[in-house]
Amino acid sequence: MAIDKSWFDGMEARIPRGEVRTRFAPSPTGYMHVGNLRTALYTYFIARHAGGKFILRIEDTDQGRLVEGAVDVIYATMRRCGLTWDEGPDVGGPVGPYVQTERRGLYGKYAELLIEKGLAYRCFCSEERLEELHKSDLNAKYDRHCLSLTSGEIQARLDAGEPYVIRQRIPEGTTTFRDAVYGDITVDNVELDDQILIKSDGLPTYNFANVIDDHLMGITHVVRGAEYLSSAPKYNLLYEAFGWEIPTYVHCSSVMISDPGTGAVRKMSKRHGDPSYEDLMAQGYLSQAVVNYVSLLGWAPHGDLAEQEFFTMDELIAAFEISGISKSPSAFDMDKLNYFNAAYLRNLPPEEFAREAEPWIRRSVKNEAYDAGAIAALLQARCEKLSDIPEKLDFFDELPQYDVELFTNKKSKTNAEVSLQMLRETAPVLEALPEWSQDAIHGALVGLAERLGVKNATLMWPLRIAVAGKAVTPGGAVELCRILGREETLRRVNLGMEKLS
C-alpha cells in the first residue's frame, strides 16, 4: 500500500526558508568539552553574522549514554558563554519539538518512505549473526543478507513479531560532497556500509535523525568536527534520496593537545582527562577568556584584524567568516589560555573582579573581619587565574611558621640586626596612629624612614615579613597592615621581634 504523501507535504510546509539557520545539537551525555564548545561558537557566529537564527536541539536518541542533569549543564554552559538561542526545547519555535526523543514518531515515517523508494530495507539479522560477520574482520561491512528477502518473507517475519532494524541501501558508484573548509571530496560507494537508520527499539540512529531534523528545521549550515567527514557521503545520499537541498557543510579540524604524561601530541579528549569547559571554570578561568581563546583555535580573522587577539562577542560575530577556518589541526595550549585569562582578569572593572575573586578569597580567608574587597584589590594584577588566589592568602587567618632568614634581604639592605631595629622603631609609631587607614599608615612609615635616615624598603621589608611570614605577598607592608588591623598587626610585629631577639 502506497504511503500517503500529504503528511510529508505538511511537514515541508512548516520549514522556515529564506534565512541562514544553524543549530547546535549536543547529546546530554556529560560536560561540554572544548571541541564541542568551539562547534557551538562557530555555529552561533555563522547565524549571527548573517542575521539568521541559531537553534538549540537536544540529541538524546542514545539512551544508554544519557547523564542525569546534563541538559541543565548544556543550558547553563551556553548561557554563561553568551550563546543565546532563538529556538529550542525551553523557548519553543515553529519546527519543534527540539528534543529528538520527542520527535520519535517522525523518523519511522521517513524510513518507510525510503523503503518504498527502494533506498532502505528491513534487516532481521540477530546480534549473534552480526558478531559472527565481524569475527574475522572487525571493520567488515554488513553483507546485505536481508536485502534479498521477498515481500512475503518480510511480512511473515513481521507477523511473527521478529525485531528488525531499517538500513540505508547504498547505491553503486561514487558520491561527491562539498565542504566549505575542505572543498570537494569524492568517495567510492563500495567503501560505505548500509548503515542502520532505525534501531530495533524504534529510535533513529544519530546519523539518520540528524539529517531528518536538519531538513525539517530548515538548517542551512551544518558545523561539526572533521571526524564526521567520513559520514558526510551517507548524509548526502540521504538528502538525495529524499530530493532535499543539501546544506552547507562546515567541518572543523581537530583540537590537539600535548599529553601531559607522555608528551605525545593527540586529539583533545575528555576520555584522556583533558579539561572540559566546566573543568576550566572550576580551575578559575573566566568564561569570556575561554570563549575568546577557543574561538581562535582553528579560525583566524582576515584583513586588518588578522593580528588581533582579544575580541568581544560582538566583535567575533562581526569578524567571523567561514573562509577563516583552517584545515590544519589546532593546538590547545594551557600557557596561551593563561595569557588570555590574565589579560581578562586585569581588564575587569575592580568591582567585577572583586565579585569573581571573593569565593576564591574566602577559601583561604575565613575571617570575615578581613575585607575581601580590599584583598581583591591587591590581587587583580597578580594572578593568571582565580585559582591562584587561595595560596597567595594563606597568611591572613594564621601567621605561618617562618625562618628568621627571611628578614635578610640584600636589595633592602636588611639582616636580622637591622630588621629588629626597624621593628622596634615601627611598633610605637603604628600603635600611636590616630586613625588606621592606608594613607595614615603609609605617611607614618615614610616619615619614620626619613627620620631614621634609611630607605623605605629597609623599613618596609622587615614589617612585611613580620606580618605575613612570607617573602612573596600580594601586597606591600602598608596594604597588609591596613587589612589585618592595628591589633593583629602589632601582635605579629611583636612576634617578629621575639623571633629576632
Side-chain angles (χ1 to χ4, degrees), residues 427-451:
V429 171
L430 293 178
E431 191 168 12
L433 275 178
E435 66 167 320
W436 195 258
S437 68
Q438 191 149 313
D439 287 344
I441 297 167
H442 180 267
L445 293 177
V446 169
L448 175 60
E450 189 176 345
R451 289 196 303 275

mmCIF file with all atom_site columns, all heavy atoms in Angstrom, residues 427-451:
data_model
loop_
_atom_site.group_PDB
_atom_site.id
_atom_site.type_symbol
_atom_site.label_atom_id
_atom_site.label_alt_id
_atom_site.label_comp_id
_atom_site.label_asym_id
_atom_site.label_entity_id
_atom_site.label_seq_id
_atom_site.pdbx_PDB_ins_code
_atom_site.Cartn_x
_atom_site.Cartn_y
_atom_site.Cartn_z
_atom_site.occupancy
_atom_site.B_iso_or_equiv
_atom_site.pdbx_formal_charge
_atom_site.auth_seq_id
_atom_site.auth_comp_id
_atom_site.auth_asym_id
_atom_site.auth_atom_id
_atom_site.pdbx_PDB_model_num
ATOM 1   N N   . ALA A 1 427 ? 56.906 49.696 65.776 1.00 0.00 ? 427 ALA A N   1
ATOM 2   C CA  . ALA A 1 427 ? 55.793 49.315 66.642 1.00 0.00 ? 427 ALA A CA  1
ATOM 3   C C   . ALA A 1 427 ? 55.140 50.503 67.347 1.00 0.00 ? 427 ALA A C   1
ATOM 4   O O   . ALA A 1 427 ? 53.904 50.669 67.284 1.00 0.00 ? 427 ALA A O   1
ATOM 5   C CB  . ALA A 1 427 ? 56.257 48.268 67.652 1.00 0.00 ? 427 ALA A CB  1
ATOM 6   N N   . PRO A 1 428 ? 55.905 51.383 68.047 1.00 0.00 ? 428 PRO A N   1
ATOM 7   C CA  . PRO A 1 428 ? 55.244 52.501 68.736 1.00 0.00 ? 428 PRO A CA  1
ATOM 8   C C   . PRO A 1 428 ? 54.592 53.503 67.789 1.00 0.00 ? 428 PRO A C   1
ATOM 9   O O   . PRO A 1 428 ? 53.581 54.123 68.134 1.00 0.00 ? 428 PRO A O   1
ATOM 10  C CB  . PRO A 1 428 ? 56.390 53.148 69.534 1.00 0.00 ? 428 PRO A CB  1
ATOM 11  C CG  . PRO A 1 428 ? 57.643 52.679 68.886 1.00 0.00 ? 428 PRO A CG  1
ATOM 12  C CD  . PRO A 1 428 ? 57.355 51.327 68.338 1.00 0.00 ? 428 PRO A CD  1
ATOM 13  N N   . VAL A 1 429 ? 55.169 53.661 66.603 1.00 0.00 ? 429 VAL A N   1
ATOM 14  C CA  . VAL A 1 429 ? 54.582 54.583 65.617 1.00 0.00 ? 429 VAL A CA  1
ATOM 15  C C   . VAL A 1 429 ? 53.215 54.077 65.181 1.00 0.00 ? 429 VAL A C   1
ATOM 16  O O   . VAL A 1 429 ? 52.238 54.839 65.109 1.00 0.00 ? 429 VAL A O   1
ATOM 17  C CB  . VAL A 1 429 ? 55.524 54.769 64.408 1.00 0.00 ? 429 VAL A CB  1
ATOM 18  C CG1 . VAL A 1 429 ? 54.827 55.534 63.287 1.00 0.00 ? 429 VAL A CG1 1
ATOM 19  C CG2 . VAL A 1 429 ? 56.802 55.485 64.834 1.00 0.00 ? 429 VAL A CG2 1
ATOM 20  N N   . LEU A 1 430 ? 53.137 52.785 64.888 1.00 0.00 ? 430 LEU A N   1
ATOM 21  C CA  . LEU A 1 430 ? 51.856 52.207 64.469 1.00 0.00 ? 430 LEU A CA  1
ATOM 22  C C   . LEU A 1 430 ? 50.843 52.238 65.611 1.00 0.00 ? 430 LEU A C   1
ATOM 23  O O   . LEU A 1 430 ? 49.657 52.499 65.405 1.00 0.00 ? 430 LEU A O   1
ATOM 24  C CB  . LEU A 1 430 ? 52.059 50.766 63.985 1.00 0.00 ? 430 LEU A CB  1
ATOM 25  C CG  . LEU A 1 430 ? 52.874 50.585 62.695 1.00 0.00 ? 430 LEU A CG  1
ATOM 26  C CD1 . LEU A 1 430 ? 53.037 49.103 62.375 1.00 0.00 ? 430 LEU A CD1 1
ATOM 27  C CD2 . LEU A 1 430 ? 52.247 51.315 61.513 1.00 0.00 ? 430 LEU A CD2 1
ATOM 28  N N   . GLU A 1 431 ? 51.321 51.980 66.807 1.00 0.00 ? 431 GLU A N   1
ATOM 29  C CA  . GLU A 1 431 ? 50.423 51.965 67.968 1.00 0.00 ? 431 GLU A CA  1
ATOM 30  C C   . GLU A 1 431 ? 49.833 53.337 68.244 1.00 0.00 ? 431 GLU A C   1
ATOM 31  O O   . GLU A 1 431 ? 48.685 53.462 68.687 1.00 0.00 ? 431 GLU A O   1
ATOM 32  C CB  . GLU A 1 431 ? 51.188 51.469 69.198 1.00 0.00 ? 431 GLU A CB  1
ATOM 33  C CG  . GLU A 1 431 ? 50.300 51.167 70.380 1.00 0.00 ? 431 GLU A CG  1
ATOM 34  C CD  . GLU A 1 431 ? 51.033 50.410 71.467 1.00 0.00 ? 431 GLU A CD  1
ATOM 35  O OE1 . GLU A 1 431 ? 52.274 50.303 71.410 1.00 0.00 ? 431 GLU A OE1 1
ATOM 36  O OE2 . GLU A 1 431 ? 50.349 49.917 72.385 1.00 0.00 ? 431 GLU A OE2 1
ATOM 37  N N   . ALA A 1 432 ? 50.598 54.386 67.948 1.00 0.00 ? 432 ALA A N   1
ATOM 38  C CA  . ALA A 1 432 ? 50.164 55.751 68.261 1.00 0.00 ? 432 ALA A CA  1
ATOM 39  C C   . ALA A 1 432 ? 49.329 56.409 67.161 1.00 0.00 ? 432 ALA A C   1
ATOM 40  O O   . ALA A 1 432 ? 48.856 57.545 67.342 1.00 0.00 ? 432 ALA A O   1
ATOM 41  C CB  . ALA A 1 432 ? 51.398 56.609 68.551 1.00 0.00 ? 432 ALA A CB  1
ATOM 42  N N   . LEU A 1 433 ? 49.157 55.725 66.032 1.00 0.00 ? 433 LEU A N   1
ATOM 43  C CA  . LEU A 1 433 ? 48.408 56.350 64.933 1.00 0.00 ? 433 LEU A CA  1
ATOM 44  C C   . LEU A 1 433 ? 46.986 56.718 65.370 1.00 0.00 ? 433 LEU A C   1
ATOM 45  O O   . LEU A 1 433 ? 46.269 55.872 65.906 1.00 0.00 ? 433 LEU A O   1
ATOM 46  C CB  . LEU A 1 433 ? 48.313 55.391 63.734 1.00 0.00 ? 433 LEU A CB  1
ATOM 47  C CG  . LEU A 1 433 ? 49.488 55.375 62.751 1.00 0.00 ? 433 LEU A CG  1
ATOM 48  C CD1 . LEU A 1 433 ? 49.227 54.339 61.668 1.00 0.00 ? 433 LEU A CD1 1
ATOM 49  C CD2 . LEU A 1 433 ? 49.707 56.742 62.122 1.00 0.00 ? 433 LEU A CD2 1
ATOM 50  N N   . PRO A 1 434 ? 46.533 57.936 65.101 1.00 0.00 ? 434 PRO A N   1
ATOM 51  C CA  . PRO A 1 434 ? 45.174 58.331 65.490 1.00 0.00 ? 434 PRO A CA  1
ATOM 52  C C   . PRO A 1 434 ? 44.095 57.631 64.668 1.00 0.00 ? 434 PRO A C   1
ATOM 53  O O   . PRO A 1 434 ? 42.977 57.434 65.132 1.00 0.00 ? 434 PRO A O   1
ATOM 54  C CB  . PRO A 1 434 ? 45.171 59.846 65.265 1.00 0.00 ? 434 PRO A CB  1
ATOM 55  C CG  . PRO A 1 434 ? 46.264 60.104 64.284 1.00 0.00 ? 434 PRO A CG  1
ATOM 56  C CD  . PRO A 1 434 ? 47.310 59.065 64.543 1.00 0.00 ? 434 PRO A CD  1
ATOM 57  N N   . GLU A 1 435 ? 44.399 57.277 63.427 1.00 0.00 ? 435 GLU A N   1
ATOM 58  C CA  . GLU A 1 435 ? 43.443 56.523 62.595 1.00 0.00 ? 435 GLU A CA  1
ATOM 59  C C   . GLU A 1 435 ? 44.193 55.425 61.844 1.00 0.00 ? 435 GLU A C   1
ATOM 60  O O   . GLU A 1 435 ? 45.376 55.589 61.519 1.00 0.00 ? 435 GLU A O   1
ATOM 61  C CB  . GLU A 1 435 ? 42.705 57.444 61.617 1.00 0.00 ? 435 GLU A CB  1
ATOM 62  C CG  . GLU A 1 435 ? 43.596 58.070 60.557 1.00 0.00 ? 435 GLU A CG  1
ATOM 63  C CD  . GLU A 1 435 ? 42.805 58.708 59.424 1.00 0.00 ? 435 GLU A CD  1
ATOM 64  O OE1 . GLU A 1 435 ? 41.792 58.105 59.022 1.00 0.00 ? 435 GLU A OE1 1
ATOM 65  O OE2 . GLU A 1 435 ? 43.217 59.775 58.960 1.00 0.00 ? 435 GLU A OE2 1
ATOM 66  N N   . TRP A 1 436 ? 43.483 54.327 61.596 1.00 0.00 ? 436 TRP A N   1
ATOM 67  C CA  . TRP A 1 436 ? 44.105 53.175 60.928 1.00 0.00 ? 436 TRP A CA  1
ATOM 68  C C   . TRP A 1 436 ? 43.618 53.134 59.467 1.00 0.00 ? 436 TRP A C   1
ATOM 69  O O   . TRP A 1 436 ? 42.698 52.431 59.104 1.00 0.00 ? 436 TRP A O   1
ATOM 70  C CB  . TRP A 1 436 ? 43.759 51.875 61.648 1.00 0.00 ? 436 TRP A CB  1
ATOM 71  C CG  . TRP A 1 436 ? 44.629 50.711 61.242 1.00 0.00 ? 436 TRP A CG  1
ATOM 72  C CD1 . TRP A 1 436 ? 44.307 49.711 60.398 1.00 0.00 ? 436 TRP A CD1 1
ATOM 73  C CD2 . TRP A 1 436 ? 45.958 50.459 61.670 1.00 0.00 ? 436 TRP A CD2 1
ATOM 74  N NE1 . TRP A 1 436 ? 45.348 48.837 60.250 1.00 0.00 ? 436 TRP A NE1 1
ATOM 75  C CE2 . TRP A 1 436 ? 46.390 49.267 61.029 1.00 0.00 ? 436 TRP A CE2 1
ATOM 76  C CE3 . TRP A 1 436 ? 46.856 51.125 62.528 1.00 0.00 ? 436 TRP A CE3 1
ATOM 77  C CZ2 . TRP A 1 436 ? 47.660 48.718 61.227 1.00 0.00 ? 436 TRP A CZ2 1
ATOM 78  C CZ3 . TRP A 1 436 ? 48.114 50.573 62.725 1.00 0.00 ? 436 TRP A CZ3 1
ATOM 79  C CH2 . TRP A 1 436 ? 48.515 49.390 62.082 1.00 0.00 ? 436 TRP A CH2 1
ATOM 80  N N   . SER A 1 437 ? 44.268 53.945 58.640 1.00 0.00 ? 437 SER A N   1
ATOM 81  C CA  . SER A 1 437 ? 43.933 53.993 57.206 1.00 0.00 ? 437 SER A CA  1
ATOM 82  C C   . SER A 1 437 ? 45.213 53.803 56.413 1.00 0.00 ? 437 SER A C   1
ATOM 83  O O   . SER A 1 437 ? 46.325 53.966 56.942 1.00 0.00 ? 437 SER A O   1
ATOM 84  C CB  . SER A 1 437 ? 43.291 55.329 56.844 1.00 0.00 ? 437 SER A CB  1
ATOM 85  O OG  . SER A 1 437 ? 44.241 56.376 56.961 1.00 0.00 ? 437 SER A OG  1
ATOM 86  N N   . GLN A 1 438 ? 45.037 53.476 55.148 1.00 0.00 ? 438 GLN A N   1
ATOM 87  C CA  . GLN A 1 438 ? 46.212 53.236 54.304 1.00 0.00 ? 438 GLN A CA  1
ATOM 88  C C   . GLN A 1 438 ? 47.084 54.485 54.208 1.00 0.00 ? 438 GLN A C   1
ATOM 89  O O   . GLN A 1 438 ? 48.312 54.401 54.316 1.00 0.00 ? 438 GLN A O   1
ATOM 90  C CB  . GLN A 1 438 ? 45.766 52.772 52.907 1.00 0.00 ? 438 GLN A CB  1
ATOM 91  C CG  . GLN A 1 438 ? 46.925 52.244 52.073 1.00 0.00 ? 438 GLN A CG  1
ATOM 92  C CD  . GLN A 1 438 ? 46.474 51.158 51.110 1.00 0.00 ? 438 GLN A CD  1
ATOM 93  O OE1 . GLN A 1 438 ? 45.743 50.240 51.508 1.00 0.00 ? 438 GLN A OE1 1
ATOM 94  N NE2 . GLN A 1 438 ? 46.898 51.259 49.874 1.00 0.00 ? 438 GLN A NE2 1
ATOM 95  N N   . ASP A 1 439 ? 46.458 55.635 54.015 1.00 0.00 ? 439 ASP A N   1
ATOM 96  C CA  . ASP A 1 439 ? 47.234 56.882 53.904 1.00 0.00 ? 439 ASP A CA  1
ATOM 97  C C   . ASP A 1 439 ? 47.963 57.193 55.202 1.00 0.00 ? 439 ASP A C   1
ATOM 98  O O   . ASP A 1 439 ? 49.130 57.621 55.189 1.00 0.00 ? 439 ASP A O   1
ATOM 99  C CB  . ASP A 1 439 ? 46.315 58.048 53.529 1.00 0.00 ? 439 ASP A CB  1
ATOM 100 C CG  . ASP A 1 439 ? 45.852 57.978 52.079 1.00 0.00 ? 439 ASP A CG  1
ATOM 101 O OD1 . ASP A 1 439 ? 46.473 57.216 51.297 1.00 0.00 ? 439 ASP A OD1 1
ATOM 102 O OD2 . ASP A 1 439 ? 44.873 58.667 51.739 1.00 0.00 ? 439 ASP A OD2 1
ATOM 103 N N   . ALA A 1 440 ? 47.275 56.958 56.324 1.00 0.00 ? 440 ALA A N   1
ATOM 104 C CA  . ALA A 1 440 ? 47.891 57.261 57.622 1.00 0.00 ? 440 ALA A CA  1
ATOM 105 C C   . ALA A 1 440 ? 49.078 56.338 57.882 1.00 0.00 ? 440 ALA A C   1
ATOM 106 O O   . ALA A 1 440 ? 50.148 56.786 58.340 1.00 0.00 ? 440 ALA A O   1
ATOM 107 C CB  . ALA A 1 440 ? 46.857 57.129 58.732 1.00 0.00 ? 440 ALA A CB  1
ATOM 108 N N   . ILE A 1 441 ? 48.904 55.057 57.595 1.00 0.00 ? 441 ILE A N   1
ATOM 109 C CA  . ILE A 1 441 ? 49.997 54.100 57.814 1.00 0.00 ? 441 ILE A CA  1
ATOM 110 C C   . ILE A 1 441 ? 51.178 54.437 56.905 1.00 0.00 ? 441 ILE A C   1
ATOM 111 O O   . ILE A 1 441 ? 52.340 54.481 57.342 1.00 0.00 ? 441 ILE A O   1
ATOM 112 C CB  . ILE A 1 441 ? 49.513 52.658 57.551 1.00 0.00 ? 441 ILE A CB  1
ATOM 113 C CG1 . ILE A 1 441 ? 48.408 52.274 58.539 1.00 0.00 ? 441 ILE A CG1 1
ATOM 114 C CG2 . ILE A 1 441 ? 50.670 51.671 57.639 1.00 0.00 ? 441 ILE A CG2 1
ATOM 115 C CD1 . ILE A 1 441 ? 47.661 51.004 58.172 1.00 0.00 ? 441 ILE A CD1 1
ATOM 116 N N   . HIS A 1 442 ? 50.876 54.686 55.632 1.00 0.00 ? 442 HIS A N   1
ATOM 117 C CA  . HIS A 1 442 ? 51.938 54.992 54.660 1.00 0.00 ? 442 HIS A CA  1
ATOM 118 C C   . HIS A 1 442 ? 52.694 56.253 55.064 1.00 0.00 ? 442 HIS A C   1
ATOM 119 O O   . HIS A 1 442 ? 53.937 56.286 55.085 1.00 0.00 ? 442 HIS A O   1
ATOM 120 C CB  . HIS A 1 442 ? 51.327 55.159 53.263 1.00 0.00 ? 442 HIS A CB  1
ATOM 121 C CG  . HIS A 1 442 ? 52.341 55.465 52.205 1.00 0.00 ? 442 HIS A CG  1
ATOM 122 N ND1 . HIS A 1 442 ? 52.667 56.758 51.830 1.00 0.00 ? 442 HIS A ND1 1
ATOM 123 C CD2 . HIS A 1 442 ? 53.131 54.647 51.453 1.00 0.00 ? 442 HIS A CD2 1
ATOM 124 C CE1 . HIS A 1 442 ? 53.580 56.722 50.891 1.00 0.00 ? 442 HIS A CE1 1
ATOM 125 N NE2 . HIS A 1 442 ? 53.883 55.445 50.639 1.00 0.00 ? 442 HIS A NE2 1
ATOM 126 N N   . GLY A 1 443 ? 51.955 57.304 55.419 1.00 0.00 ? 443 GLY A N   1
ATOM 127 C CA  . GLY A 1 443 ? 52.598 58.563 55.794 1.00 0.00 ? 443 GLY A CA  1
ATOM 128 C C   . GLY A 1 443 ? 53.481 58.407 57.017 1.00 0.00 ? 443 GLY A C   1
ATOM 129 O O   . GLY A 1 443 ? 54.609 58.946 57.070 1.00 0.00 ? 443 GLY A O   1
ATOM 130 N N   . ALA A 1 444 ? 52.996 57.672 58.012 1.00 0.00 ? 444 ALA A N   1
ATOM 131 C CA  . ALA A 1 444 ? 53.767 57.489 59.244 1.00 0.00 ? 444 ALA A CA  1
ATOM 132 C C   . ALA A 1 444 ? 55.040 56.700 58.995 1.00 0.00 ? 444 ALA A C   1
ATOM 133 O O   . ALA A 1 444 ? 56.118 57.042 59.527 1.00 0.00 ? 444 ALA A O   1
ATOM 134 C CB  . ALA A 1 444 ? 52.909 56.783 60.279 1.00 0.00 ? 444 ALA A CB  1
ATOM 135 N N   . LEU A 1 445 ? 54.971 55.651 58.174 1.00 0.00 ? 445 LEU A N   1
ATOM 136 C CA  . LEU A 1 445 ? 56.141 54.816 57.919 1.00 0.00 ? 445 LEU A CA  1
ATOM 137 C C   . LEU A 1 445 ? 57.167 55.531 57.055 1.00 0.00 ? 445 LEU A C   1
ATOM 138 O O   . LEU A 1 445 ? 58.384 55.428 57.300 1.00 0.00 ? 445 LEU A O   1
ATOM 139 C CB  . LEU A 1 445 ? 55.710 53.494 57.265 1.00 0.00 ? 445 LEU A CB  1
ATOM 140 C CG  . LEU A 1 445 ? 54.883 52.550 58.157 1.00 0.00 ? 445 LEU A CG  1
ATOM 141 C CD1 . LEU A 1 445 ? 54.451 51.316 57.369 1.00 0.00 ? 445 LEU A CD1 1
ATOM 142 C CD2 . LEU A 1 445 ? 55.667 52.133 59.396 1.00 0.00 ? 445 LEU A CD2 1
ATOM 143 N N   . VAL A 1 446 ? 56.710 56.248 56.048 1.00 0.00 ? 446 VAL A N   1
ATOM 144 C CA  . VAL A 1 446 ? 57.635 57.009 55.206 1.00 0.00 ? 446 VAL A CA  1
ATOM 145 C C   . VAL A 1 446 ? 58.328 58.096 56.043 1.00 0.00 ? 446 VAL A C   1
ATOM 146 O O   . VAL A 1 446 ? 59.540 58.333 55.932 1.00 0.00 ? 446 VAL A O   1
ATOM 147 C CB  . VAL A 1 446 ? 56.898 57.621 53.999 1.00 0.00 ? 446 VAL A CB  1
ATOM 148 C CG1 . VAL A 1 446 ? 57.798 58.626 53.264 1.00 0.00 ? 446 VAL A CG1 1
ATOM 149 C CG2 . VAL A 1 446 ? 56.452 56.524 53.040 1.00 0.00 ? 446 VAL A CG2 1
ATOM 150 N N   . GLY A 1 447 ? 57.548 58.741 56.907 1.00 0.00 ? 447 GLY A N   1
ATOM 151 C CA  . GLY A 1 447 ? 58.130 59.762 57.785 1.00 0.00 ? 447 GLY A CA  1
ATOM 152 C C   . GLY A 1 447 ? 59.155 59.164 58.741 1.00 0.00 ? 447 GLY A C   1
ATOM 153 O O   . GLY A 1 447 ? 60.212 59.777 59.012 1.00 0.00 ? 447 GLY A O   1
ATOM 154 N N   . LEU A 1 448 ? 58.865 57.964 59.259 1.00 0.00 ? 448 LEU A N   1
ATOM 155 C CA  . LEU A 1 448 ? 59.794 57.306 60.171 1.00 0.00 ? 448 LEU A CA  1
ATOM 156 C C   . LEU A 1 448 ? 61.095 56.953 59.449 1.00 0.00 ? 448 LEU A C   1
ATOM 157 O O   . LEU A 1 448 ? 62.191 57.150 59.988 1.00 0.00 ? 448 LEU A O   1
ATOM 158 C CB  . LEU A 1 448 ? 59.144 56.040 60.744 1.00 0.00 ? 448 LEU A CB  1
ATOM 159 C CG  . LEU A 1 448 ? 60.030 55.159 61.644 1.00 0.00 ? 448 LEU A CG  1
ATOM 160 C CD1 . LEU A 1 448 ? 60.515 55.944 62.857 1.00 0.00 ? 448 LEU A CD1 1
ATOM 161 C CD2 . LEU A 1 448 ? 59.264 53.901 62.076 1.00 0.00 ? 448 LEU A CD2 1
ATOM 162 N N   . ALA A 1 449 ? 60.993 56.415 58.232 1.00 0.00 ? 449 ALA A N   1
ATOM 163 C CA  . ALA A 1 449 ? 62.198 56.069 57.462 1.00 0.00 ? 449 ALA A CA  1
ATOM 164 C C   . ALA A 1 449 ? 63.061 57.304 57.241 1.00 0.00 ? 449 ALA A C   1
ATOM 165 O O   . ALA A 1 449 ? 64.301 57.247 57.327 1.00 0.00 ? 449 ALA A O   1
ATOM 166 C CB  . ALA A 1 449 ? 61.793 55.433 56.127 1.00 0.00 ? 449 ALA A CB  1
ATOM 167 N N   . GLU A 1 450 ? 62.387 58.420 56.939 1.00 0.00 ? 450 GLU A N   1
ATOM 168 C CA  . GLU A 1 450 ? 63.124 59.664 56.710 1.00 0.00 ? 450 GLU A CA  1
ATOM 169 C C   . GLU A 1 450 ? 63.858 60.107 57.983 1.00 0.00 ? 450 GLU A C   1
ATOM 170 O O   . GLU A 1 450 ? 65.030 60.490 57.943 1.00 0.00 ? 450 GLU A O   1
ATOM 171 C CB  . GLU A 1 450 ? 62.154 60.756 56.244 1.00 0.00 ? 450 GLU A CB  1
ATOM 172 C CG  . GLU A 1 450 ? 62.843 62.027 55.777 1.00 0.00 ? 450 GLU A CG  1
ATOM 173 C CD  . GLU A 1 450 ? 61.854 63.046 55.233 1.00 0.00 ? 450 GLU A CD  1
ATOM 174 O OE1 . GLU A 1 450 ? 60.696 62.655 54.960 1.00 0.00 ? 450 GLU A OE1 1
ATOM 175 O OE2 . GLU A 1 450 ? 62.248 64.216 55.095 1.00 0.00 ? 450 GLU A OE2 1
ATOM 176 N N   . ARG A 1 451 ? 63.190 60.009 59.125 1.00 0.00 ? 451 ARG A N   1
ATOM 177 C CA  . ARG A 1 451 ? 63.817 60.407 60.392 1.00 0.00 ? 451 ARG A CA  1
ATOM 178 C C   . ARG A 1 451 ? 64.991 59.496 60.745 1.00 0.00 ? 451 ARG A C   1
ATOM 179 O O   . ARG A 1 451 ? 65.986 59.936 61.322 1.00 0.00 ? 451 ARG A O   1
ATOM 180 C CB  . ARG A 1 451 ? 62.785 60.375 61.531 1.00 0.00 ? 451 ARG A CB  1
ATOM 181 C CG  . ARG A 1 451 ? 61.753 61.479 61.438 1.00 0.00 ? 451 ARG A CG  1
ATOM 182 C CD  . ARG A 1 451 ? 61.004 61.672 62.765 1.00 0.00 ? 451 ARG A CD  1
ATOM 183 N NE  . ARG A 1 451 ? 60.337 60.465 63.230 1.00 0.00 ? 451 ARG A NE  1
ATOM 184 C CZ  . ARG A 1 451 ? 59.139 60.085 62.837 1.00 0.00 ? 451 ARG A CZ  1
ATOM 185 N NH1 . ARG A 1 451 ? 58.472 60.801 61.928 1.00 0.00 ? 451 ARG A NH1 1
ATOM 186 N NH2 . ARG A 1 451 ? 58.584 58.992 63.331 1.00 0.00 ? 451 ARG A NH2 1
#
